[in-house]
Amino acid sequence: MAIKIFDTTLRDGEQSPGVSLSVKEKLEIAKQLAKLEVDVIEAGFPIASEGDFKGVQKIAQEVKGPVIAGLARATKQDIDRAGEALKDAKKPRIHTFIATSPVHMKYKLKKSPQEVLESAVEAVKYAKTYTNDVEFSAEDAFRSDKDFLCEVFEAVIAAGATTINVPDTVGYATPLEFGGLIKYIKDNVPNINQAVISVHCHNDLGLAVANSLAAIENGAKQVECAVNGIGERAGNTALEEIALALNTRYDYFAKQSNLNLKEIARTSRLVSHLTGMEIQPNKAIVGKNAFAHESGIHQDGVIKERTTYEIMDATTIGLEENKIVLGKHSGRHAFRQKLEELGYELSQEELNSAFKRFKNLADKKKEITGFDLEAIMEDEISQVDEVYQINLLQVTSSPGLATATVQMEKDTKKINESACSEGGPIDAIYEAMNRITGLKCKLADYQIDSVTSGKDALGEVIVKLEHQDKIYVGRGISTDIIEASARAYNNAMNRILNTVTSDK
Ligand code: KIV
Ligand code: ZN
């Protein structure tokens, strides 16, 4: 039997500091996860916010293939909200949890072990009134008393849980210990064969993948993971690392996942771009350097025989050459066809808007590659309702002083502002935009990257704005980095304005 991949990018991954995806963005990621053929998509935590509820609901309605799961604490209110959000899913799962470790029970829940056990059983029974597919997680399982943990698992399986999940919530375990815990559960929960054993590891000590693999060796059949390893604090088990470890070392594990590995690179890029979470260059599997060889000895070896220094082939994860796909004279039909080949399904309205962006780009850039098209589409997806639009940008800059004039439009009203800055042209633009919108926000992060190579490359800017203790991510692309910077700032500002009414 294959190892089930339970993807929690949209739930635990979305809990990464500074990540907040719109419903449209969550849906796009979920569609891509379905192409990747994950077994389960944990689409969100419906009671957490209206946005979370809507995200789970939309994914349940539109994404076919994987099981769609919603998270719920072990309370009726949470379970009702998850049940409601999952109503239209073909294969719904309610994932309910309660903490079982002494420290969590005593200080956080203020419940006795007996009360926790009863809440867990009640929650599973109640979740079963919505769907047969119920997963139970014992939060902080690794720091729980082993025998109490086994007692809880036995009781929830008797109550109908079809999956029991063993989280290392704080990333404290080491592989031998964690593998040992899974074996202990297998040996000491009498009805364990009636449920799938799942694991959920955090990466605080950099051991999440190693711990998950040790669990597989000891009988776990489901691994919870997130694309690029994003998640609370140091993140979750990285999906791509588990997938490639199983694939590359099939000789050792003798178990596979059901994933369509060719979609890994694409999924990784999409998640990184929409969440604004950059991937470290040396990150295993999906980092920019993961398949690059720098030293002469290595390059020479690879030329003579690839396997001298490569244990994996980049094409396995869909890292193909970035080919030229369209040009200045390509029409709407060719554009649509290329997007369909890349897997995008567009309404007429979306096509019109994306085609306009493509034509603008093709005027500046002779050759349009697959990565450029992806960037255009990701930019379209990350657009939010625009309270303000940028009409005009004018910048003069010399070392030490820059001046920017910006015209923005709100409800057909045009507003002009100028600002000077010793911090350079981008700072001057941002100051002028702050004056127009009246928003009191702070630039918490600014990243710039090129989508393709060459002097006419498309630049992508990601900014993080801090507003009332919350972080908002904005993206902008253009062949002109000043324009990309302004677009990114405007995107983040509009996200703020869509959440709160101006604090002018
Ligand atoms: O880390 C954790 O314990 C969790 C549970 C809700 C599964 O995310
Ligand atoms: Zn977690």
Side-chain angles (χ1 to χ4, degrees), residues 6 8 11-12 15 42 45 71-72 95-98 104 135-141 165-171 200-202 224 232-233 236:
F6 175 114
T8 187
R11 201 276 299 168
D12 214 321
Q15 286 172 221
E42 185 163 53
F45 189 4
L71 185 68
H95 176 193
T96 185
F97 74 99
I98 190 164
H104 276 238
E135 172 168 334
F136 171 78
S137 279
E139 192 189 9
D140 205 14
N165 185 37
V166 188
D168 177 18
T169 303
V170 291
H200 176 110
C201 296
H202 279 269
E224 302 199 351
E232 277 277 8
R233 307 181 309 277
N236 285 80

